[in-house]
Amino acid sequence: MAFAVYGLPARAQVMDKDIGSAPSVLVATPIASNSSTQTSVPDFSHPEAIISNPLSKWLRARGFNFLVDNTNEFAGAITPPTRGSTPGFINYKQGASNAGQYAMQLDIDWEKVAGVRGFATHMITVGRYGTTANRMFGDWLNHASEDYGGGGNVVVHLVYMYGEETLYGGRLAIAAGRMSEISDFAASPLFCNFQNGSFCGRPKGITDTNFDAGYPAATWGFRVRGRPVNSVYVQTGVYPIENGIYQVYQHRTGFKFNGANIIGYAAPLETAWEPVFRKGTLPGHYKFGAQVFSTPQNDNFYDLYGGSYALTRLTPKKHSASWSTWMMLDQRLLHYRDKNSGLTALAGAIYNDPHTALRKYLIYGALINRGLFPSRPYDTMGFAFTYTKIAKGVTMMEQDSLLTGGALPNHATGVQRNTMVMEANYAIRVIPGVIFTPLFEYYIHPNAQNNLRNAALLGFKSHIQFM
């Protein structure tokens, strides 16, 4: 959804406003000290659009919020890939790619439409196109263009469709329907100031398994969020785990609603403190969370008898459940001429069950500097990095597989250990509703493999808000 930073005026919007960010914006918006306890629907976004549209204003006044945008992402390698004699290496090449997404969002305020106090519904559909450059140099962990994949390769793919009841002036919110769990949990509207998939959308470690429903995938879900005090929230939920949620054979269009492929449940819990310092000019968010997956998963190294299944070729050991934890924070450190500008720091860590995960942990950091230059008050500079450590069991299993001549998982052409992805960019507000962002990406140990040459890419991200 198109929002300003944490509910600030639309004229200050830059990159953290794509369709789809609405849930994370609501999570990140504390209750104002003078707010009412009256049951009502939170305001929908009024995004800055390229074309002034009287129809949009007319619809919003009657409870209908319809948004249309396009995000396009280009990346091209400026370094040659590793070459070798094996089939995987032969296919590597120095090249460029383009990926993108067009999206439509419909929010309905049923309080205005039918007098149902506090109730709203939300629906998003997308279409995605193109491919991503990282696979050209052997990386399958972190996309160079986040808007690649998951859209089903169809004209219209349903992302989510759910209803939400907001009570007591936002102090209690209950939602159910087809939902993307990671749009509410471990989420921030700041992440997509960047393009690379290790950071944008969500730090990739949080969706280490296919059991986490992250945009543009969704499952049936139920979520409840309470705010015991204005600057603190606690939320939890239950999300059935649907086998193959990121695969075309199950969710090509997103409109497959039967529960035949449900294989378990994910249960997240998250709490956060959201202070606002210096008379509202320095907002911060400090969140902690964990979740449990009830679906059995294979051990990433041991077989049923405690040996290496890559050597014994026996069935991997089964774990009845697995888990993931996270700590995330962001804090505006400085502000400039108005409340919408300033320097914001982000940091966080995700730690997964080391016995079942591919990524044992991921740590990240970023700086976002908006409005530094008085002549360009809506431009933003950004720098971000992610460091990913592969689980020890995966590393040992791949070493044993090479000893026995076995095939490696995860599209690997060498043993996976660790990787880092960095991005620097500058977002330019060209005209109202149009953002153009030149950027630089750098991959250290692509695919977490030491045998692959580091890769540097140049590219750009564009965002156009049509209505």
Side-chain angles (χ1 to χ4, degrees):
M1 192 180 212
F3 271 86
V5 185
Y6 302 135
L8 296 176
R11 64 182 181 84
Q13 297 173 27
V14 183
M15 287 304 294
D16 37 32
K17 59 176 178 31
D18 295 348
I19 284 180
S21 66
S24 62
V25 170
L26 290 175
V27 172
T29 305
I31 297 174
S33 58
N34 60 350
S35 64
S36 168
T37 59
Q38 181 179 344
T39 293
S40 62
V41 174
D43 290 339
F44 297 146
S45 63
H46 295 182
E48 182 182 70
I50 190 173
I51 301 172
S52 179
N53 188 345
L55 177 61
S56 294
K57 184 177 180 180
W58 186 88
L59 288 171
R60 287 185 184 123
R62 287 154 181 81
F64 298 92
N65 188 48
F66 183 62
L67 308 176
V68 181
D69 77 353
N70 172 261
T71 302
N72 195 78
E73 299 172 336
F74 172 85
I78 57 175
T79 52
T82 303
R83 293 288 187 180
S85 58
T86 62
F89 286 98
I90 292 172
N91 293 332
Y92 295 162
K93 61 181 179 180
Q94 183 178 351
S97 71
N98 190 78
Q101 168 188 282
Y102 52 87
M104 293 177 287
Q105 177 165 322
L106 176 63
D107 306 299
I108 302 177
D109 181 342
W110 290 95
E111 188 171 319
K112 292 181 178 179
V113 174
V116 184
R117 296 289 296 275
F119 185 66
T121 55
H122 309 280
M123 177 180 177
I124 287 180
T125 63
V126 300
R128 288 189 162 183
Y129 54 86
T131 188
T132 182
N134 48 287
R135 295 181 181 179
M136 298 179 186
F137 52 83
D139 187 282
W140 290 76
L141 291 174
N142 301 301
H143 291 159
S145 300
E146 191 276 335
D147 274 340
Y148 168 78
N153 193 28
V154 292
V155 175
V156 176
H157 174 87
L158 176 65
V159 176
Y160 60 60
M161 181 172 60
Y162 66 93
E164 183 168 25
E165 177 69 26
T166 303
L167 303 166
Y168 311 117
R171 289 163 178 79
L172 179 64
I174 302 169
R178 297 293 294 182
M179 304 176 68
S180 295
E181 176 195 347
I182 307 303
S183 293
D184 284 304
F185 295 85
S188 170
L190 294 174
F191 290 146
C192 278
N193 280 272
F194 301 92
Q195 174 172 301
N196 79 85
S198 75
F199 200 84
C200 179
R202 63 273 180 186
K204 192 65 173 176
I206 198 63
T207 51
D208 184 71
T209 77
N210 286 334
F211 300 150
D212 258 330
Y215 188 102
T219 65
W220 293 111
F222 169 82
R223 183 259 300 152
V224 58
R225 179 186 307 122
R227 292 186 178 271
V229 297
N230 291 6
S231 61
V232 174
Y233 72 78
V234 180
Q235 62 177 354
T236 188
V238 177
Y239 297 82
I241 294 170
E242 298 188 18
N243 190 32
I245 59 173
Y246 294 104
Q247 303 299 318
V248 169
Y249 75 92
Q250 279 289 357
H251 286 283
R252 183 178 179 88
T253 68
F255 286 94
K256 187 174 182 179
F257 296 151
N258 72 73
N261 60 332
I262 293 176
I263 56 175
Y265 297 88
L269 174 65
E270 181 178 273
T271 185
W273 177 46
E274 301 180 314
V276 181
F277 303 111
R278 290 193 184 176
K279 299 180 180 179
T281 63
L282 301 179
H285 304 82
Y286 301 79
K287 63 180 63 181
F288 305 87
Q291 62 181 330
V292 175
F293 305 104
S294 71
T295 300
Q297 295 189 60
N298 290 338
D299 192 277
N300 52 30
F301 179 72
Y302 290 111
D303 65 21
L304 292 171
Y305 303 100
S308 166
Y309 72 77
L311 295 178
T312 65
R313 305 296 174 90
L314 296 176
T315 302
K317 177 181 177 180
K318 282 280 187 181
H319 294 267
S320 60
S322 60
W323 49 266
S324 178
T325 62
W326 59 89
M327 175 185 68
M328 298 178 171
L329 65 91
D330 64 77
Q331 178 64 58
R332 185 178 295 167
L333 306 175
L334 301 170
H335 80 94
Y336 304 132
R337 287 149 298 280
D338 59 51
K339 292 182 180 181
N340 302 323
S341 63
L343 175 67
T344 299
L346 296 84
I350 297 160
Y351 190 87
N352 297 318
D353 184 343
H355 302 293
T356 61
L358 169 60
R359 302 166 180 85
K360 179 180 179 181
Y361 66 82
L362 178 148
I363 58 175
Y364 69 84
L367 291 172
I368 300 172
N369 201 2
R370 173 171 287 133
L372 177 62
F373 305 116
S375 61
R376 303 292 308 172
Y378 308 132
D379 288 4
T380 302
M381 293 183 288
F383 173 78
F385 78 89
T386 59
Y387 174 83
T388 303
K389 177 66 175 178
I390 300 299
K392 183 179 179 181
V394 175
T395 300
M396 295 191 301
M397 177 271 295
E398 291 177 340
Q399 290 172 331
D400 289 347
S401 292
L402 288 178
L403 289 176
T404 60
L408 297 180
N410 313 315
H411 304 278
T413 51
V415 176
Q416 296 177 290
R417 292 183 173 87
N418 57 72
T419 184
M420 180 180 288
V421 180
M422 294 180 285
E423 179 178 330
N425 63 37
Y426 187 92
I428 304 165
R429 179 180 179 269
V430 181
I431 59 174
V434 178
I435 306 297
F436 181 77
T437 308
L439 57 92
F440 172 77
E441 297 178 355
Y442 194 73
Y443 285 64
I444 299 175
H445 301 154
N447 212 44
Q449 298 175 209
N450 294 350
N451 64 322
L452 291 182
R453 184 177 296 157
N454 295 346
L457 300 92
L458 290 176
F460 67 83
K461 180 175 183 175
S462 65
H463 180 264
I464 302 174
Q465 188 72 43
F466 294 103
M467 63 182 298

